[in-house]
Amino acid sequence: MAKQGGTSGKPKGHKVALVRMDATFFFERAVRSLDRHDLPRALKYFRKVVEYEPANPVNHCNLAGVLSELGDYQASNEVLERVLLELDPKMYECYFYMANNFANLGLYDLAQEYASRYLEVDPEGEFAEEAEEMLDILVTEFGTRMVRRRRDGRIRLRGDEDVARRFLEDGRFLDAAAYLEAKVQESSDATVDRNNLSLAYYYLGDVEKAIETAKGVLELQPGNLHAVCNLAIFYRSAGKEEQTQALLDQLRRLRPIQPELAYKLGTTMGILQEHRTAYDIFNHLVRFLPRPEAPVVHALAAAAANLGRLRKAARLWEEVHVLDPSSGIGRYYEEVVREAISRGLEVLPVSYQYVLPYADTTRLNGPGSEDPGSKLGRELWPPESVVRSSLMWVLRHGDPVTKKQVIPLVVSFGGEDVERALRFLLLDDDEYLPVKQAALKGMFELQPEEIVEIGLPSRILPVDFRPESARSLAGRPEWQRIVQLAVQELQGRGETTLAKVAMEIWSEFTQLIHLQAPRVRKPELWAGALECAARHRCHLPFSRKEVAERYKVSQQGLGDRLWLIIETCMLTD
């Protein structure tokens, strides 16, 4: 039977119009998402634009703008820094954008520094007038002073203290230690980095190493108040009461003029249960600061409550509520202290930290780092059902930054509803990456029995979070060989803490990739990629070419495996 010409059932003269998936395609969708105020979707599309045109600095600036709108100011600044360092050093407006981000983070010295830098390099620029206005406000309202941070005569694009502070505040103590060890190697007299490094060791539970590091700061700079305060807490934690009392004798006599140092000293004295001294310090701050901020007034109220001055504390928390009504901290503690008064309590142990007590449980504290006030009687908290329902609502409807903050707490509650909520977040392609990172960490803690599907940029990844699933893959000889090679290389270079970071990443990766594990033909490729991933996570610079040469592998192969580790473990900031 002969075949007839043409295609039966299809209209002639019509062609299927193929959609061209390029940077313009995703840019148009990003703009439409912005018009609809759908920031998470706009972020997704701008990331795609950057993928298709990575050399265009404007694309990166658009991405940074959306990150800033979402409240992730640190990530926004890292994108802008990349523009200045790698793409276009003359895109001076990045300095102004970074100044805005630092101001939103409350880092006013850095905000002033970057606004000034913008005016230096582009005095007639598009944002010159706004930068001048910002500087006027910073000086008038916050009393900040210009602090030039220079290295080799150039302004530093990323404040090292800011990166370290972010790691410490997020509970990433191992990353903080690896990052700060590298910084101390670069500059042996960096007292700020050494102080933060001592805290990282302390939170990791290595109290003796924390003590030695703090003592090293005092050798470089005798009388450094941050080091003395830290050392007093470390000694108390280590049970070295004689040394603790010797430092307390020094600290009781100090009254720093600078508000930042006074706040540090007052908080330290509170943690060490020296509430009378803490009260005097914070009372002086509140009386003499032109505009005392809510955390300072809260600290004074906490000292008053710990001393038994409950009515004074109640009045102060009323003031905190007026200064910062949106946080709810002043209102909460005012209700708690009035309840304590009605019950006839004489003293109310209260934390000096400016957080709600149930939010404070999300912080990973080092041994002995929690002051007695953080153990505030749980019977004075709102009922768990009320807290739980409100937090679950935030998890479903809140903004990305708030979602990220509440995930650790809802995980501590546990339950099927929490697991379902985290599953939804992990599978949602449009969800903000830091939220998915927090949800992933939560799943590692919950260890659900059923398979969890995770939406990654290139695929859907099924994961078995049960501990035995990770052991079955990690126990294979070729997979053990990978981590052994990376750890041996890093330890041989004296980077012991970074080796621990690599082991932590590999533990996560083997569990996540278990159900879709690739075949390992050359362990050295994976070992080099693992080292790069550890440096990437700790914000340490590295050369893929140099690492590939050390492991005697190809850059391309190493890069492919590095991307798989970064994507799977969500290591991208």
Side-chain angles (χ1 to χ4, degrees), residues 3 39 133 166 195 291 335 353 380 449 498 512 546 572:
K3 294 182 180 179
L39 292 176
E133 184 178 351
R166 181 186 177 195
N195 274 326
R291 296 184 181 182
E335 292 176 0
Q353 288 186 330
L380 296 178
E449 291 294 321
L498 195 62
L512 292 170
E546 186 268 332
T572 303

Side-chain angles (χ1 to χ4, degrees), residues 230-248:
N230 291 341
L231 194 55
I233 294 172
F234 301 161
Y235 278 147
R236 172 66 59 82
S237 179
K240 300 182 178 183
E241 197 57 31
E242 184 178 343
Q243 292 94 324
T244 305
Q245 290 302 324
L247 291 180
L248 280 174

Side-chain angles (χ1 to χ4, degrees), residues 215-368:
K215 289 166 71 175
V217 174
L218 293 174
E219 290 175 5
L220 289 170
Q221 191 179 87
N224 183 290
L225 184 59
H226 283 275
V228 175
C229 288
N230 291 341
L231 194 55
I233 294 172
F234 301 161
Y235 278 147
R236 172 66 59 82
S237 179
K240 300 182 178 183
E241 197 57 31
E242 184 178 343
Q243 292 94 324
T244 305
Q245 290 302 324
L247 291 180
L248 280 174
D249 288 342
Q250 295 179 36
L251 294 174
R252 290 189 191 103
R253 296 192 294 268
L254 297 179
R255 290 297 181 271
I257 297 174
Q258 290 179 277
E260 178 192 351
L261 294 178
Y263 187 83
K264 171 71 175 181
L265 176 60
T267 304
T268 300
M269 299 306 279
I271 291 172
L272 295 172
Q273 301 184 56
E274 296 283 327
H275 301 301
R276 162 62 66 182
T277 304
Y279 181 90
D280 291 343
I281 292 169
F282 289 121
N283 190 43
H284 183 272
L285 266 179
V286 168
R287 288 172 59 194
F288 288 96
L289 281 176
R291 296 184 181 182
E293 296 181 354
V296 178
V297 181
H298 165 78
L300 177 58
N306 281 294
L307 287 170
R309 302 177 182 180
L310 301 188
R311 298 189 186 281
K312 169 78 171 178
R315 291 194 297 273
L316 288 166
W317 275 314
E318 284 182 21
E319 187 177 340
V320 171
H321 179 66
V322 172
L323 291 169
D324 183 18
S326 62
S327 71
I329 294 174
R331 175 62 55 82
Y332 170 81
Y333 278 109
E334 182 189 348
E335 292 176 0
V336 168
V337 75
R338 294 199 185 284
E339 176 68 16
I341 292 170
S342 70
R343 294 189 188 185
L345 298 181
E346 295 183 359
V347 174
L348 183 66
V350 176
S351 172
Y352 287 76
Q353 288 186 330
Y354 189 63
V355 291
L356 291 167
Y358 48 82
D360 194 30
T361 63
T362 67
R363 292 179 60 85
L364 177 59
N365 290 306

Side-chain angles (χ1 to χ4, degrees), residues 467-528:
E468 56 268 23
S469 70
R471 288 194 293 269
S472 65
L473 180 62
R476 296 179 189 174
E478 66 273 24
W479 287 78
Q480 288 181 339
R481 177 64 177 157
I482 292 167
V483 71
Q484 288 169 357
L485 284 169
V487 168
Q488 287 171 4
E489 176 68 18
L490 289 168
Q491 288 180 339
R493 295 167 62 87
E495 297 177 285
T496 305
T497 305
L498 195 62
K500 293 178 182 177
V501 174
M503 287 190 286
E504 192 173 88
I505 292 173
W506 197 243
S507 175
E508 292 179 10
F509 180 70
T510 52
Q511 180 148 9
L512 292 170
I513 206 72
H514 168 63
L515 298 178
Q516 293 185 348
R519 182 176 297 178
V520 175
R521 292 188 176 89
K522 193 174 180 63
E524 290 80 4
L525 271 173
W526 286 95

